[in-house]
Amino acid sequence: DAKTTQPPSMDCAEGRAANLPCNHSTISGNEYVYWYRQIHSQGPQYIIHGLKNNETNEMASLIITEDRKSSTLILPHATLRDTAVYYCIVRVSNSGNTPLVFGKGTRLSVIA
Amino acid sequence: SAVISQKPSRDICQRGTSLTIQCQVDSQVTMMFWYRQQPGQSLTLIATANQGSEATYESGFVIDKFPISRPNLTFSTLTVSNMSPEDSSIYLCSAGYGYTFGSGTRLTVV
């Protein structure tokens, strides 16, 4: 079962920051937080992941609370192409040898 | 990150028949994962395929229905056997450190 809780849907105005929350209150010390998104009818796309520290890449920023029980994915300037289902996933290994367990995700709609 | 080629991208099949889905990875990977995504739903893990051993199936999925082959470190197949309309879904494979996904196979059973 998924170990995360996300709101089922969110709207965001184009050009504004999209902040997607995720609760993972039972996360263990060696578990990473991963974010993926799935644009309609495509395979999931990796966005970002982190263990303790905040992370940033060309797509997004990941803010993890100090107690690691929740995190926020930030898309700094949302565009219509960011409309997708976003999945927050907690998993132990960073090695590629254990599967991702998907929850229901958040459906983000970016509105012009 | 690994690049995965998955085929076919879509198919329409008659009930009672079988379809084999192929995934080719551009680098060697230890594990490959197969998922099902039913209409409007999230992804559900079917099985984990390790080269040289039998696949490990999740609860609710059995080898007779979803046989998997993993002949080498870059290739795997999933067969959907004796199909019924309830098998209509998107099937996806995943592999690699970056957890790359194939583009998916949209299966419709009629």
Side-chain angles (χ1 to χ4, degrees), chain B residues 7-14 17-21 83 88-89 104-110:
Chain B
K7 59 182 180 182
S9 59
R10 61 177 61 231
D11 208 340
I12 301 174
C13 300
Q14 297 292 322
T17 63
S18 299
L19 176 71
T20 296
I21 302 166
M83 289 184 286
S88 297
S89 296
T105 297
R106 182 180 294 273
L107 171 62
T108 302
V109 184
V110 297

Side-chain angles (χ1 to χ4, degrees), chain A residues 20-33:
Chain A
L20 292 89
C22 179
N23 287 323
H24 30 80
S25 58
T26 61
I27 192 169
S28 301
N30 61 346
E31 288 183 313
Y32 291 78
V33 179

Side-chain angles (χ1 to χ4, degrees), chain B residues 5 11 19 24 39 44-45 51 53 59-60 66-67 76-78 92 98 106:
Chain B
S5 300
D11 208 340
L19 176 71
Q24 178 75 51
T44 300
L45 180 68
Q51 193 269 332
S53 62
S59 175
F66 298 101
S76 180
T77 67
L78 170 76
L92 300 114
R106 182 180 294 273

Side-chain angles (χ1 to χ4, degrees), chain A residues 22-77:
Chain A
C22 179
N23 287 323
H24 30 80
S25 58
T26 61
I27 192 169
S28 301
N30 61 346
E31 288 183 313
Y32 291 78
V33 179
Y34 279 75
W35 283 84
Y36 280 76
R37 73 180 182 184
Q38 188 176 27
I39 297 171
H40 182 63
S41 297
Q42 299 181 19
Q45 176 190 24
Y46 166 81
I47 300 173
I48 198 168
H49 76 280
L51 182 61
K52 297 180 181 179
N53 300 320
N54 299 336
E55 302 288 345
T56 294
N57 62 21
E58 64 278 4
M59 291 183 65
S61 295
L62 173 60
I63 308 298
I64 303 174
T65 58
E66 191 169 347
D67 63 8
R68 302 207 325 121
K69 292 185 177 182
S70 65
S71 61
T72 301
L73 178 74
I74 301 173
L75 308 179
H77 305 286

Side-chain angles (χ1 to χ4, degrees), chain B residues 32-54:
Chain B
M32 294 183 70
F33 308 102
W34 288 96
Y35 293 84
R36 181 178 71 181
Q37 188 171 29
Q38 295 176 300
Q41 304 297 313
S42 182
L43 284 77
T44 300
L45 180 68
I46 297 172
T48 298
N50 188 5
Q51 193 269 332
S53 62
E54 278 203 5

